[in-house]
Amino acid sequence: AEGARGEPVPGGERPAQEEVPEYHDPVDASTYSAALDAKVAELERLFSPLMQQATIPILNAKGVDRSVSVRPEVFPSPPLNFRSRCRFQVMWEDAPVTAESTGISPGESVEPGRRLSYRMWNKGKPTVPITEFPMALREIEELMPAVLREVEAHPELGDGLQAIHFLASRGIRGGMLVTMVYGRPIDEAWKTAAEGPRARLKAAMGDIRERVYRGGDDDDGFAALAGPRGDDEEFDATALNILGRSRGTQIVVGDACHVFERLTLRDGRRMSYRQAEGAFSNPNSFMAESTLDWLCDCAATTVREALAGTSEHSVEAAPPSLLELYSGNGNHTVALAKYFDRVAAVELSGVLCEAARENLARNGVENAKVLHSPSESVARGMLRRKKRHEEGRVGKAAMAAAATGAGDGSKRGDGSGMDFDINAYDVVLVDPPRAGLDPDTLDLVSRFDVVLYISCDPRKGLLENAVGPHAARVLDTGEFEGEFKGWSGLARTHDLLRFAVFDHFPYTRHIECGACFVRRR
């Protein structure tokens, strides 16, 4: 989780600064817009030279004045109840146990005892107890105290407990997975102790969702996206489950250790994704929808218009093809496949590759293939193959390898049906880690006419990949005074045509960006 709010402050005043981690501001919805504006202003400062250098012919064709810089497309998050994935440390402390804290009748006797509280870590020290968490989805926020009460009432669940994680999906038929992490071995005794709490929490979850989503239409149209077991059975299996984890052990109490997330796109489509515990997924599903909307709009408009100016394409030509690196669980792949003739998706994590294949099948996508491989290895393999082609050293074996994905630098995945010739793809999409693209992958990406880049750290990853480390430092420190003549990144050959801001993490310093680069001609 990216932040928390501590004990309520009388009179509605803000919590003291030490009550929240240093990377997070106190949650005050009235300050949200101003905080987002400040983030956007900083990004405009950093990327201003790129936003003012566009020379793409299609801009002139549309009558766009090139003296006007590219403007950020800003996608705000809901100011409250936006996180579907939250992770907390927990701590025991001696405190009086009240009737309110245990949920028993006030007329019953209550004995003092140990209390459990949610915490976060900041500079190696725990925060004050987290008694409310308004950034979480309401179903998470309302379930949190009930989970603590169950743990306090069952010594087997509380012994050695170090952390509690929540993974949820929105909607009256959404899912909830509560993960309990232990510093001691857990076994069947733990599972037996958790069965009663799971049943009670599942019932409570039903009541919570009814309150939160009563009268809504969150599930209209999703029946067709269910898996082979059918809609009712499949979604009921994820209503609420508990997962226990200790070193080398994982025990599921319930029917699943995943949830199904449903995203509604601006073009009317509704996507269904399997999100597994422990695997990466966007914690802010509202921003996940906005990111997909922006990428799909880029694919439907900007990509087509940019490629129409090349010798290989015309406006009436067949859809282009897409190479996607760092594809994760297929979040982008599923939504974008509609706009491309074929998609090759590359991902390092085997767990995410399996999730991606399932998500493609769940949504009826048949023109995308997933390869289990480091993106850097695929990049190096494609660059070597291109060099051999240029030098005329491609024999029959290499041609056969190109048709199956063999020799791409990876022995992990099935590349059947994939073509790893650079010229086989028109557009590349990357969503790398915070550090950005390594030199080989950046070299490969720079050879495409259109580059779609999603960045979770625009200051470090995107900016350095766009202008090079030296220029990025100059821009970051505010020493830029005019015009660079020696870009060493994508900006050397490409113009920034679109720039988007996605506020995945309100009340923190973090921001995500999307950039569409088009080769300068």
Side-chain angles (χ1 to χ4, degrees), residues 92-153:
W92 287 98
E93 57 185 347
D94 292 328
V97 178
T98 66
E100 181 182 6
S101 71
T102 60
I104 66 175
S105 170
E108 298 181 47
S109 61
V110 181
E111 298 294 333
R114 300 177 69 210
R115 294 298 311 282
L116 190 65
S117 61
Y118 297 107
R119 307 290 185 110
M120 290 184 178
W121 291 98
N122 185 38
K123 295 185 176 180
K125 297 180 180 180
T127 61
V128 298
I130 297 169
T131 58
E132 53 181 0
F133 196 72
M135 289 180 288
L137 293 180
R138 279 186 58 194
E139 46 266 56
I140 293 178
E141 187 178 22
E142 293 193 24
L143 189 69
M144 286 170 59
V147 172
L148 291 186
R149 289 197 296 266
E150 290 288 355
V151 173
E152 289 170 348

Side-chain angles (χ1 to χ4, degrees), residues 100-390:
E100 181 182 6
S101 71
T102 60
I104 66 175
S105 170
E108 298 181 47
S109 61
V110 181
E111 298 294 333
R114 300 177 69 210
R115 294 298 311 282
L116 190 65
S117 61
Y118 297 107
R119 307 290 185 110
M120 290 184 178
W121 291 98
N122 185 38
K123 295 185 176 180
K125 297 180 180 180
T127 61
V128 298
I130 297 169
T131 58
E132 53 181 0
F133 196 72
M135 289 180 288
L137 293 180
R138 279 186 58 194
E139 46 266 56
I140 293 178
E141 187 178 22
E142 293 193 24
L143 189 69
M144 286 170 59
V147 172
L148 291 186
R149 289 197 296 266
E150 290 288 355
V151 173
E152 289 170 348
H154 295 82
E156 180 67 25
L157 299 185
D159 183 21
L161 181 64
Q162 296 180 331
I164 298 177
H165 303 167
F166 295 87
L167 175 65
S169 56
R170 289 153 44 199
I172 197 166
R173 303 182 69 192
M176 176 72 73
L177 179 66
V178 180
T179 301
M180 300 181 181
V181 183
Y182 290 85
R184 66 167 180 92
I186 57 174
D187 52 23
E188 287 300 311
W190 177 89
K191 182 176 182 181
T192 300
E195 288 173 350
R198 185 251 176 174
R200 289 186 290 274
L201 291 172
K202 183 176 180 179
M205 190 75 261
D207 294 339
I208 291 171
R209 288 191 183 278
E210 183 66 25
R211 288 197 303 273
V212 173
Y213 295 103
R214 181 184 293 118
D217 59 354
D218 298 80
D219 291 289
D220 287 354
F222 282 109
L225 298 178
R229 293 195 298 168
D231 184 68
D232 290 338
E233 183 180 355
E234 183 171 72
F235 285 100
D236 182 66
T238 63
L240 187 137
N241 297 295
I242 296 178
L243 176 66
R245 286 174 44 195
S246 62
R247 187 171 184 177
T249 302
Q250 179 170 294
I251 300 175
V252 180
V253 182
D255 303 306
C257 55
H258 59 266
V259 300
F260 291 109
E261 183 172 63
R262 279 93 60 197
L263 303 180
T264 302
L265 304 190
R266 197 166 52 202
D267 61 13
R269 290 181 297 156
R270 299 194 172 193
M271 313 275 89
S272 176
Y273 297 88
R274 180 183 183 272
Q275 306 290 16
E277 196 282 332
F280 175 80
S281 62
N282 285 315
N284 189 330
S285 61
F286 300 96
M287 287 296 91
E289 288 174 333
S290 295
T291 304
L292 294 181
D293 283 335
W294 183 81
L295 284 171
C296 288
D297 187 67
C298 285
T301 60
T302 314
V303 168
R304 286 298 193 92
E305 292 166 346
L307 292 178
T310 66
S311 58
E312 295 85 359
H313 289 83
S314 66
V315 176
E316 296 77 21
S321 54
L322 172 69
L323 174 65
E324 182 182 2
L325 304 178
Y326 310 95
S327 58
N329 69 350
N331 185 55
H332 300 150
T333 322
V334 168
L336 283 171
K338 168 186 176 180
Y339 298 95
F340 293 91
D341 179 59
R342 58 195 174 95
V343 180
V346 181
E347 170 55 41
L348 170 64
S349 166
V351 172
L352 290 177
C353 284
E354 288 305 311
R357 295 185 183 105
E358 178 175 339
N359 289 333
L360 291 170
R362 288 182 63 81
N363 292 275
V365 177
E366 299 179 345
N367 63 330
K369 300 288 185 181
V370 179
L371 175 67
H372 178 200
S373 172
S375 292
E376 309 90 275
S377 297
V378 170
R380 286 193 291 269
M382 294 180 78
L383 290 170
R384 285 196 299 268
R385 193 169 296 122
K386 181 174 179 61
K387 183 176 181 180
R388 289 198 296 267
H389 272 281
E390 292 172 345

